């Protein structure tokens, strides 16, 4: 999945200054819109004593700035619910669909013939060969392609493990990050 972070929710309005975002939104088709909702998100912090992050579908929030077609109502999700959805497989996509979406973004990027230098600062959340969750930051589409080239040969699944507490009672699943 891709998550583009903003410090505050109102900062998503600055996306209107980015020609590639406008191109993404104005050329949106139903299939790519559905794929984007599964793997491309925008997030921002909430002001609380402890860290709270709110996430939303990137296209459904940002593409409202251009009154794009094929949008659905936005649905804010807190980071805990979002992460649990990712870990359970309710959000995110497999590597083939992810590569398809990145290919679409790359085709929109322009600049160089392959779009490799188009700035695209984001985090890539994926699973390594052992199925563990890994977050990697990248600065442009070329770095993202390099990360994708490292993809595992299989499609690893995250496997929760059960821990027992010292008294022998099952404490439920825990996840290694």
């Amino acid at each position: 999945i891709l998550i583009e972070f903003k410090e505050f929710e109102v900062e998503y309005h600055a996306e209107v200054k980015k020609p590639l975002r406008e191109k993404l939104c104005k050329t949106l088709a139903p299939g790519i819109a559905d794929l984007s909702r599964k793997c491309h998100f925008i997030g921002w912090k909430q002001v609380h004593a402890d860290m709270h992050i709110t996430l939303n579908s990137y296209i459904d929030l940002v593409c409202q700035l251009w009154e794009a077609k094929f949008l659905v109502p936005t649905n804010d999700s807190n980071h805990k619910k979002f992460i649990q959805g990712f870990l359970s497989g309710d959000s995110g996509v497999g590597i083939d669909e992810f590569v398809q979406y990145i290919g679409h973004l790359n085709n929109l990027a322009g600049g160089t013939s392959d779009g490799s230098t188009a700035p695209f600062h984001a985090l890539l959340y994926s699973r390594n060969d052992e199925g563990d969750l890994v977050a990697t930051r990248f600065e442009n589409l070329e770095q993202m392609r390099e990360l994708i080239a490292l993809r595992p040969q299989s499609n690893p699944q995250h496997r929760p493990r059960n821990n027992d507490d010292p008294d022998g009672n099952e404490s439920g699943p825990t996840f290694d990050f």
Side-chain angles (χ1 to χ4, degrees):
I1 59 175
L2 291 174
I3 303 175
E4 297 188 40
F5 286 100
K6 306 294 179 193
E7 188 166 0
F8 302 103
E9 181 179 10
V10 298
E11 292 177 4
Y12 85 86
H13 291 278
E15 298 292 284
V16 77
K17 299 175 185 175
K18 300 177 180 179
L20 292 177
R21 302 323 191 256
E22 181 178 10
K23 191 172 184 180
L24 170 66
C25 294
K26 287 188 172 182
T27 62
L28 202 57
I32 207 70
D34 290 341
L35 182 55
S36 179
R37 274 183 206 98
K38 295 177 190 175
C39 66
H40 192 177
F41 303 91
I42 188 165
W44 56 90
K45 73 177 185 176
Q46 295 291 329
V47 180
H48 289 281
D50 56 347
M51 179 61 77
H52 282 64
I53 305 285
T54 297
L55 297 116
N56 211 316
S57 161
Y58 184 89
I59 61 159
D60 293 322
L61 185 65
V62 172
C63 291
Q64 292 176 27
L65 299 170
W66 290 278
E67 299 178 6
K69 297 178 180 178
F70 311 113
L71 302 181
V72 300
T74 57
N75 185 19
D76 289 352
S77 178
N78 72 59
H79 67 277
K80 292 177 184 178
K81 179 180 173 186
F82 182 86
I83 290 169
Q84 287 300 324
F86 179 75
L87 292 174
S88 69
D90 292 337
S91 63
V93 294
I95 188 69
D96 293 332
E97 285 181 298
F98 187 72
V99 169
Q100 177 188 355
Y101 185 69
I102 297 310
H104 177 73
L105 295 179
N106 187 49
N107 287 338
L108 294 174
T112 60
S113 61
D114 65 357
S116 62
T117 59
F120 194 80
H121 310 282
L123 292 176
L124 170 69
Y125 282 90
S126 59
R127 298 193 189 282
N128 64 17
D129 288 327
E130 290 77 39
D132 295 326
L133 186 65
V134 178
T136 308
R137 181 183 169 146
F138 57 92
E139 303 294 327
N140 59 51
L141 291 175
E142 179 60 30
Q143 288 179 353
M144 184 192 292
R145 270 200 296 280
E146 290 170 6
L147 290 171
I148 290 172
L150 299 174
R151 72 185 188 195
Q153 297 305 309
S154 63
N155 194 5
Q157 299 296 315
H158 188 63
R159 294 172 298 279
R161 58 181 169 76
N162 286 323
N163 285 341
D164 293 332
D165 70 16
D167 297 326
N169 297 319
E170 182 115 0
S171 62
T174 59
F175 297 92
D176 293 321
F177 292 98

